[in-house]
Amino acid sequence: MADFTDRLKLNLSGTGKELTPQQLNDNFKAIEKEFLERSVNVSWFGAAGDGIQDDTAALQELINKTPDYSILHIPSGRYKITSTLQIRKQGMRIFGIHKGRYRQGKGVTSIEYYGTGPCFQIGDESLPSFSGFQNVQFHDLSIRYEGTGRATLNNPFSQSVKRGYYGKGTMGIQDWKGGGVVLDNVLIEHFETAFWGYESDVNLFKCTEINYNKIGIHLQNRSSQFTSIALFTLGNDTALDLNSSNGARFMASQHIKDGSSSDIPILINDFMNAEFLGCWFEGLSREHKMTVPSFIQIGATKETKNVALRDSILAIADKYDDTQSVCNYFVDVVIGKKVLVDEVGGYPRNLKQLICFSGSSSTQQVTLRSHLDFSYSNHRYDENHGTGQALLLVEKYSNNGIEHLNETFVKAYLGSRQNIPAGNWQKVRFNQINHDELTEFDGSNSRWRAKRAGKYRIQVYISTDPQIDSNRTRLALHLNDEQLTGSSAYAYLDDRVIGGLNYGALSGAMELRLEANSFIDIRVFSQNAVDILPGGGITYLTVSRI
């Protein structure tokens, strides 16, 4: 080793030999040779790597006969694998050879799977929780399904480049209750699920490519503390499926042309603490003439919270047929809170809308912070397709500092005459809406519901027909009151005796602090029967946040 280490002396600290580029290249070749000599090589176990011979037994023997924490080397070649390779070792490191992004053919290590189930399986379901075989690493490998048990992907891009298939019932890598999995310069293609993790925590994926799969990365049941750096996904039906876990970070990932009209590229459900930092989100091309519902869906069936999308680039193509977006929404929130979209660039204007709310959950909260140098036809950044909370708070960066948009401001009024029978309390039917910035007013039930906690000013003005002299009228505000009769007012806004030649009028205002989802309605009492007059200028309710 003396002559070998002597050749590795580089001029990094002002001492040592000056090396020419050729000498430096020779040194790196020597390092690789030394590495191979110190590794356990699959060719020692009879693997051919010619794409013809079945190398399953050779690779399994390689794994079985080496101790924990071994370095295994798979030289360049095409390795035909016909059944699952079982890994029951701690800290095993498997190295291949790759050349850039194209990793099939001469000079690369290609694992070509023809079986069912997983190609590589770490541990199994019989293991107790989080006590499996941990810290298995995969470096510089291509893992592809090449068998005949194929199904068709929905993704139109994969079909257009003749890569639109996946192996039914297959997985590239399955980790049962292990964790600490490292994928470094690994390509996984054409599986039903490329990486499947169950209680698979503290994983690290670096420069990993996940292409042309039904599902790219699936994390389930406490597969927490996941980190990805420079992940690349392409042409998958669903690229990421994050479920029932806590903690995932995606830094500088690129998600390109994933999804279909029935598949969401990124699903986050029953999850807490997911962050996407500086990521690229690219939609389908116009030529595909297909609309993906949304790029990201949050909380499809269970509450998901603390999702942050920071400094996102949205590469969304121009609309096809002049009106149809290739992706309707960047984020669709079904059941989610503490969702942050912090600065978006690229072409978000080509979406139908930036944010969508769907479903009926009372937990739908998004904060949008951005320069917002784009707009949509309805002058909003969200659409509500359900009956849930649908709360979007907008902070716009401008020359004037931070502007808070989408604050509560509601004006509702009576659309037609309403009779108040003698001696009765009646809810005022505010059924017409002039303004409702956050869609908080329920015209069918004539009540306003706060989407977020805060201090509000309520103002009411009621006009009636001329009243009988000395008629007593009262105006009340009811808070969180589902009863139509027999309940007590939260506050009386007016109480007067009026009549004669003057038209009757009631008015009042108050400020109050409310919790999110609190609701109010306005009720009127008249000693004698009277009609309330309709019109936006004479019988109205206004609510504003202060």
Side-chain angles (χ1 to χ4, degrees):
M1 289 293 293
D3 59 333
F4 174 72
T5 55
D6 184 64
R7 287 194 294 161
L8 294 182
K9 291 180 179 178
L10 305 182
N11 191 21
L12 299 177
S13 59
T15 61
K17 295 181 180 180
E18 294 284 352
L19 298 179
T20 66
Q22 182 58 50
Q23 290 173 320
L24 185 60
N25 186 57
D26 291 343
N27 279 354
F28 285 127
K29 287 183 178 179
I31 292 172
E32 182 178 20
K33 180 180 178 182
E34 179 73 13
F35 170 76
L36 297 180
E37 289 175 353
R38 289 176 176 270
S39 304
V40 181
N41 195 310
V42 70
S43 62
W44 303 349
F45 298 88
D50 59 4
I52 300 173
Q53 174 184 300
D54 187 344
D55 289 327
T56 307
L59 265 75
Q60 189 64 64
E61 189 177 9
L62 166 73
I63 294 169
N64 292 346
K65 290 190 174 181
T66 52
D68 291 348
Y69 304 102
S70 294
I71 298 175
L72 312 184
H73 179 64
I74 306 177
S76 61
R78 299 174 59 190
Y79 295 85
K80 182 178 181 180
I81 305 299
T82 56
S83 61
T84 298
L85 296 170
Q86 305 280 352
I87 298 178
R88 302 291 188 272
K89 298 291 175 67
Q90 292 272 7
M92 179 166 286
R93 290 173 286 171
I94 302 174
F95 285 82
I97 295 174
H98 80 92
K99 294 183 178 180
R101 284 179 53 193
Y102 183 69
R103 300 177 192 167
Q104 184 185 30
K106 187 176 180 181
V108 302
T109 301
S110 180
I111 306 297
E112 300 180 356
Y113 191 55
Y114 290 81
T116 59
C119 179
F120 290 92
Q121 186 183 59
I122 305 168
D124 60 56
E125 63 270 30
S126 67
L127 295 171
S129 181
F130 291 121
S131 61
F133 301 102
Q134 299 170 332
N135 305 317
V136 176
Q137 299 185 13
F138 300 84
H139 299 263
D140 303 327
L141 295 171
S142 167
I143 305 172
R144 302 163 49 85
Y145 177 77
E146 293 286 4
T148 57
R150 302 182 178 186
T152 302
L153 292 169
N154 297 323
N155 178 266
F157 171 75
S158 66
Q159 296 175 15
S160 68
V161 295
K162 316 246 182 263
R163 306 291 296 276
Y165 67 90
Y166 66 93
K168 291 186 292 185
T170 63
M171 304 173 203
I173 299 172
Q174 182 188 52
D175 180 30
W176 270 104
K177 306 179 182 180
V181 178
V182 174
L183 302 188
D184 181 14
N185 283 313
V186 172
L187 167 70
I188 308 179
E189 293 186 334
H190 298 298
F191 289 91
E192 187 163 322
T193 305
F195 179 88
W196 189 96
Y198 184 93
E199 295 183 9
S200 175
D201 64 335
V202 202
N203 296 336
L204 173 62
F205 290 9
K206 298 186 295 181
C207 300
T208 300
E209 292 185 44
I210 305 291
N211 303 338
Y212 312 120
N213 302 282
K214 183 66 178 173
I215 298 174
I217 298 172
H218 172 82
L219 301 178
Q220 176 184 345
N221 195 49
R222 297 187 294 166
S223 294
S224 302
Q225 298 165 266
F226 176 89
T227 301
S228 168
I229 302 171
L231 172 69
F232 183 93
T233 70
L234 173 69
N236 303 280
D237 280 356
T238 294
L240 305 176
D241 182 15
L242 312 180
N243 203 295
S244 57
S245 302
N246 182 357
R249 292 167 291 178
F250 295 85
M251 293 171 278
S253 63
Q254 300 181 66
H255 304 284
I256 298 177
K257 293 179 170 50
D258 297 310
S260 74
S261 59
S262 57
D263 299 286
I264 309 293
I266 298 175
L267 299 171
I268 310 174
N269 186 48
D270 190 19
F271 205 91
M272 184 167 64
N273 302 315
E275 182 175 27
F276 294 77
L277 177 60
C279 297
W280 176 282
F281 302 92
E282 182 174 329
L284 300 174
S285 300
R286 296 178 63 196
E287 292 75 16
H288 297 133
K289 291 185 178 293
M290 180 180 287
T291 299
V292 175
S294 67
F295 223 108
I296 301 171
Q297 185 183 67
I298 295 175
T301 60
K302 292 187 177 181
E303 181 179 283
T304 297
K305 60 184 178 181
N306 300 332
V307 178
L309 300 146
R310 304 180 190 273
D311 299 324
S312 305
I313 304 298
L314 307 186
I316 308 300
D318 291 338
K319 295 179 179 180
Y320 63 92
D321 296 338
D322 296 324
T323 60
Q324 302 300 310
S325 297
V326 299
C327 183
N328 278 337
Y329 310 102
F330 179 37
V331 179
D332 175 24
V333 178
V334 184
I335 312 173
K337 65 181 180 181
K338 297 183 181 179
V339 178
L340 172 64
V341 180
D342 190 354
E343 197 62 271
V344 288
Y347 298 92
R349 65 176 181 269
N350 290 331
L351 296 164
K352 183 180 180 184
Q353 208 82 24
L354 191 66
I355 308 293
C356 173
F357 296 99
S358 55
S360 58
S361 172
S362 59
T363 304
Q364 296 177 328
Q365 304 163 6
V366 178
T367 298
L368 169 62
R369 298 174 182 160
S370 183
H371 283 84
L372 297 175
D373 53 354
F374 59 93
S375 61
Y376 300 100
S377 58
N378 64 353
H379 305 294
R380 296 181 59 85
Y381 296 98
D382 65 309
E383 281 188 357
N384 185 8
H385 290 291
T387 58
Q389 183 184 22
L391 174 61
L392 176 65
L393 307 178
V394 183
E395 298 178 0
K396 180 179 180 180
Y397 304 138
S398 70
N399 294 333
N400 299 320
I402 298 178
E403 300 178 30
H404 294 270
L405 309 181
N406 281 28
E407 292 284 1
T408 291
F409 179 71
V410 172
K411 183 178 181 183
Y413 64 94
L414 184 68
S416 59
R417 279 178 173 265
Q418 179 180 350
N419 179 256
I420 306 297
N424 281 279
W425 283 96
Q426 291 284 311
K427 181 191 292 188
V428 181
R429 293 196 302 265
F430 293 113
N431 52 14
Q432 302 296 312
I433 302 171
N434 264 353
H435 301 283
D436 188 4
E437 292 292 326
L438 301 182
T439 61
E440 295 174 299
F441 196 82
D442 179 0
S444 61
N445 290 303
S446 300
R447 66 189 183 189
W448 168 81
R449 183 185 296 273
K451 285 190 174 179
R452 58 173 172 156
K455 190 176 181 181
Y456 295 89
R457 179 176 176 80
I458 316 295
Q459 185 168 356
V460 185
Y461 195 91
I462 306 290
S463 299
T464 71
D465 275 337
Q467 299 181 21
I468 297 173
D469 281 339
S470 302
N471 185 49
R472 185 186 183 190
T473 54
R474 305 177 76 187
L475 178 65
L477 181 148
H478 284 244
L479 175 63
N480 299 329
D481 189 353
E482 297 284 2
Q483 299 183 61
L484 296 180
T485 60
S487 57
S488 299
Y490 175 79
Y492 293 98
L493 305 180
D494 200 353
D495 188 342
R496 65 178 71 183
V497 177
I498 55 177
L501 297 177
N502 296 318
Y503 281 86
L506 291 163
S507 63
M510 71 176 299
E511 296 176 0
L512 67 164
R513 183 172 294 279
L514 298 174
E515 297 298 321
N517 291 316
S518 298
F519 63 89
I520 66 163
D521 63 73
I522 303 300
R523 304 185 192 188
V524 167
F525 170 86
S526 179
Q527 184 177 350
N528 298 284
V530 69
D531 277 4
I532 301 177
L533 301 178
I538 57 176
T539 298
Y540 59 84
L541 163 70
T542 63
V543 183
S544 56
R545 195 170 191 269
I546 55 178

